[in-house]
Amino acid sequence: GATILPFGGSSYDSSTHENDRIKVNTWIRTSSKFDAVIDFDAVMRDPNYQSRLKSTVDSGDHLHPNEYGYKVMAESIDLKLFN
């Protein structure tokens, strides 16, 4: 499983959507329904504004990562998960 990225500031931003994102991510992290969890939320969110992407990984629409963001996501995956 993989967590949902922050999207604060995007066209999807609302308190309802953010609450749902938090609930789903908590379930992904704690449900034990997956063999492993890749926590993209943790590596991509702004530590000061956790509903938003870090500015260094944001493409500008506050929803999609930029090229560097995709690199950060890829490098956060432990390839040993696929052995």
Side-chain angles (χ1 to χ4, degrees), residues 20-75:
D20 290 345
R21 184 184 79 84
I22 291 168
K23 286 178 190 175
V24 170
N25 282 350
T26 299
W27 180 83
I28 290 169
R29 291 179 182 114
T30 63
S31 69
S32 301
K33 297 291 183 182
F34 303 99
D35 294 331
V37 172
I38 299 169
D39 199 345
F40 289 137
D41 172 46
V43 299
M44 299 290 282
R45 70 178 173 236
D46 184 323
N48 298 314
Y49 304 97
Q50 295 195 4
S51 68
R52 292 178 173 255
L53 292 168
K54 293 179 203 174
S55 61
T56 55
V57 301
D58 189 343
S59 69
D61 67 0
H62 310 298
L63 180 63
H64 298 96
N66 58 22
E67 185 176 336
Y68 174 69
Y70 284 113
K71 183 177 189 288
V72 169
M73 290 172 69
E75 289 176 350

